Amino acid sequence: MSGNGFISSIRRLINAEEAGRMTSPSPFELLSQQMDDVLGDGGVLKQVVQPGEGPPVPQNASVLIRYSGFLEYSDHPFETNANIKYPQMMKLGRDVTLAGLELGLLTMKKGEFSRFLFQPQYAYGEMGCPPIIPAAAMVLYEVQILDFLDSGQVDDFVTLSLVGRAMHLSSIYFCHFCCLTIFFLLLLSQEEQHTAPLSTLLEVVNTLRSFGNRCFNQSRHDNAKDRYKQAVKLLQSRETHSDAEKQKITTALLPLYLNLSLNELRLQSPRKALKYGNKALEIDSANTKALFRCGQAYLELQEYESAQGCLITAQENKPYDTDINNLLRKVAICLKDSLDKQKDMCTKMFQGLRGPMKM
């Protein structure tokens, strides 16, 4: 009897402890009490740790984020890009595949750092993602928006021309009537692109240039080149109807040529760098950056006199610029060495022509 009573007492104590554990809130439950309900159904909860600035992330944008995902009772993330020096831009609807994360990002601003709790239906579902994510798991994401670009606008604009190309290729497999229809759609898409407001085109070009700059800063120079050239192509194909529009197009082309010139130098393509530098000089013959880029390209091509000419002109614009003055000194040294070598070569050739002296 006493033994049975002791066992019953132990069981009561165990049941009381288990009941206490069951009634005490879990870490995610405690955190959820400090969070806002984004959608109104409790599926996506948000806590702003550090506010951002400016407008929120637009639909179909490309975002540059640092993020870490956690399971409850885990101190280590099951996925993160926090250890990557240059995280990749992620396209909403394509690269961001977690429904809750995409919805959460649309509520964020540049510079913002927030925490999100996602119910299973907005995360990995009832099945989870074995063996890492258990079934019906709630997950925590910590996210910081480093930057974002409205690439949705770029996609819509560029699609006007790309759709036509795709249709043209597919028209081979259609009847004659379909080919005529596709040709009409091709003309229509090009017409829509030309009649779109110039301000829209310039916004698209600015976004592409920002993409290029981001790639350049991450030393992804081939990707940067593609973005810059895409922007140039859009500007060059634009039909202008006034001098004012033409001037705006020209103004937008100048920084793109300068960026392409510098990017080609990084790609060790001095002739292409020189080509884009000269295009920039055609727009603004006194542009210091263009003169400097051409000077750099000529130096790489070992055309020292041309390099010196560009840099002297650049120096006249900015006489105290350290980069210009340093490069000019380097060119002067290279030019002197080159002339000395030519002089020595001529002397040796002359001596060879004279032949040995006869006694």
Side-chain angles (χ1 to χ4, degrees):
M1 293 293 294
S2 61
N4 291 338
F6 176 75
I7 292 173
S8 298
S9 299
I10 294 296
R11 284 177 177 170
R12 282 196 298 270
L13 287 172
I14 293 173
N15 290 337
E17 289 180 3
E18 289 179 348
R21 284 198 295 269
M22 291 176 63
T23 55
S24 61
S26 69
F28 278 4
E29 288 173 339
L30 287 171
L31 182 60
S32 67
Q33 296 172 12
Q34 309 169 36
M35 307 179 89
D36 298 321
D37 190 345
V38 173
L39 303 177
D41 63 355
V44 178
L45 303 179
K46 176 181 179 180
Q47 179 189 39
V48 178
V49 180
Q50 176 182 312
E53 295 181 349
V57 174
Q59 292 280 350
N60 301 318
S62 293
V63 295
L64 188 66
I65 62 175
R66 292 201 182 278
Y67 66 90
S68 297
F70 297 87
L71 294 171
E72 197 166 22
Y73 300 107
S74 175
D75 294 330
H76 300 286
F78 60 83
E79 73 162 340
T80 183
N81 71 345
N83 57 344
I84 299 175
K85 185 177 181 180
Y86 297 123
Q88 295 281 346
M89 274 276 185
M90 302 175 70
K91 175 75 173 175
L92 296 184
R94 184 187 67 193
D95 303 319
V96 181
T97 56
L98 210 65
L101 182 57
E102 181 163 356
L103 291 167
L105 287 169
L106 292 173
T107 69
M108 299 184 71
K109 301 177 180 180
K110 184 176 179 179
E112 179 180 329
F113 176 74
S114 290
R115 293 191 181 97
F116 294 94
L117 274 178
F118 302 133
Q119 292 289 346
Q121 65 269 28
Y122 291 100
Y124 294 92
E126 294 300 319
M127 298 294 292
C129 188
I132 299 173
I133 310 296
M138 183 184 293
V139 295
L140 167 70
Y141 269 79
E142 294 184 340
V143 184
Q144 183 181 16
I145 294 276
L146 302 177
D147 199 2
F148 66 83
L149 296 170
D150 189 1
S151 56
Q153 186 183 36
V154 175
D155 296 339
D156 293 340
F157 196 89
V158 174
T159 298
L160 293 175
S161 61
L162 295 182
V163 165
R165 294 181 196 174
M167 288 181 171
H168 178 70
L169 291 173
S170 62
S171 66
I172 298 171
Y173 304 100
F174 289 91
C175 64
H176 179 67
F177 174 76
C178 289
C179 288
L180 290 176
T181 304
I182 289 167
F183 180 70
F184 172 76
L185 289 172
L186 172 59
L187 293 177
L188 178 63
S189 63
Q190 290 175 339
E191 180 64 22
E192 288 175 342
Q193 193 179 81
H194 288 308
T195 57
L198 181 59
S199 59
T200 301
L201 170 63
L202 295 178
E203 287 177 9
V204 168
V205 165
N206 186 58
T207 301
L208 285 170
R209 184 173 169 235
S210 297
F211 265 116
N213 292 345
R214 176 67 62 183
C215 294
F216 180 87
N217 291 332
Q218 296 177 354
S219 298
R220 294 160 50 209
H221 297 115
D222 286 322
N223 297 120
K225 179 179 179 178
D226 291 340
R227 297 293 187 175
Y228 295 145
K229 291 185 73 173
Q230 188 178 22
V232 167
K233 187 174 181 180
L234 287 175
L235 290 170
Q236 289 177 336
S237 63
R238 175 75 179 199
E239 295 178 357
T240 56
H241 303 287
S242 67
D243 291 339
E245 283 193 356
K246 186 176 181 179
Q247 182 58 45
K248 288 181 180 179
I249 295 292
T250 302
T251 301
L253 279 169
L254 179 58
L256 288 166
Y257 287 144
L258 292 172
N259 288 355
L260 277 165
S261 182
L262 179 59
N263 196 69
E264 292 293 354
L265 287 170
R266 294 291 186 271
L267 288 169
Q268 298 182 345
S269 300
R271 292 205 178 277
K272 291 182 179 179
L274 183 60
K275 180 185 77 171
Y276 289 118
N278 283 327
K279 284 182 177 291
L281 288 174
E282 289 174 8
I283 296 173
D284 180 5
S285 60
N287 188 278
T288 305
K289 285 186 178 180
L291 290 165
F292 185 72
R293 300 280 182 268
C294 289
Q296 289 177 299
Y298 278 127
L299 175 60
E300 293 295 323
L301 293 168
Q302 297 183 4
E303 298 180 24
Y304 303 124
E305 291 185 4
S306 297
Q308 190 175 55
C310 289
L311 293 170
I312 287 174
T313 306
Q315 189 185 52
E316 292 173 356
N317 296 338
K318 291 187 175 181
Y320 303 109
D321 188 283
T322 303
D323 292 333
I324 295 174
N325 292 331
N326 287 341
L327 192 62
L328 192 53
R329 280 193 289 271
K330 183 177 180 180
V331 169
I333 294 170
C334 291
L335 179 58
K336 183 180 182 303
D337 290 343
S338 177
L339 292 174
D340 288 344
K341 288 178 182 179
Q342 290 178 25
K343 183 179 178 180
D344 291 342
M345 186 180 297
C346 290
T347 301
K348 291 177 182 178
M349 289 176 62
F350 182 71
Q351 288 177 346
L353 291 173
R354 289 172 56 186
M357 292 182 65
K358 296 182 179 180
M359 298 300 292

